[in-house]
Amino acid sequence: QQPEYGLEIVWPHLAMVNLKNGYYYRSNGPEAETAEWKRHFTTGRHGMAHWPRIASYVKQRNYKGVVCLTAEYTDLENKDRYIAEDLAYAKSLFES
């Protein structure tokens, strides 16, 4: 689903924009009878959700509500660095 479509559907009820990012990767090989997938939570720049498009859409609609960064990462050892990077990235998207 494109972010604009989902946001259009929920816009009248939107109380908070919650930003996190992730992607799915295949966890077994092509020889497996059935593909298995696992999710990986990553930084704002590297997942399937396109933060610049989301920020652009809500800014165009003059959104003035809460923007939450959930700080959900699969790699917990580097979470402090990821949080700082994502906060700076989100600020750059919403301030410009």
Side-chain angles (χ1 to χ4, degrees):
Q1 181 84 342
Q2 300 301 318
E4 296 85 358
Y5 299 146
L7 285 165
E8 188 65 34
I9 292 167
V10 301
W11 192 259
H13 309 286
L14 188 65
M16 176 176 64
V17 173
N18 186 0
L19 294 176
K20 64 179 176 181
N21 225 332
Y23 59 87
Y24 289 93
Y25 65 93
R26 185 155 179 183
S27 60
N28 60 354
E31 70 285 348
E33 188 173 322
T34 303
E36 293 181 16
W37 302 89
K38 291 189 178 180
R39 67 178 175 247
H40 182 89
F41 291 105
T42 188
T43 60
R45 295 179 190 268
H46 295 106
M48 294 171 57
H50 196 270
W51 287 17
R53 285 175 65 187
I54 296 164
S56 175
Y57 181 90
V58 298
K59 284 177 11 181
Q60 287 174 9
R61 305 269 317 239
N62 294 315
Y63 177 73
K64 301 295 183 206
V66 174
V67 177
C68 174
L69 283 84
T70 59
E72 187 172 351
Y73 307 104
T74 300
D75 174 14
L76 295 177
E77 282 189 31
N78 293 299
K79 72 180 180 315
D80 291 340
R81 179 171 59 91
Y82 297 156
I83 290 168
E85 289 174 5
D86 276 351
L87 182 58
Y89 182 46
K91 281 183 174 182
S92 75
L93 296 173
F94 284 91
E95 290 175 351
S96 60

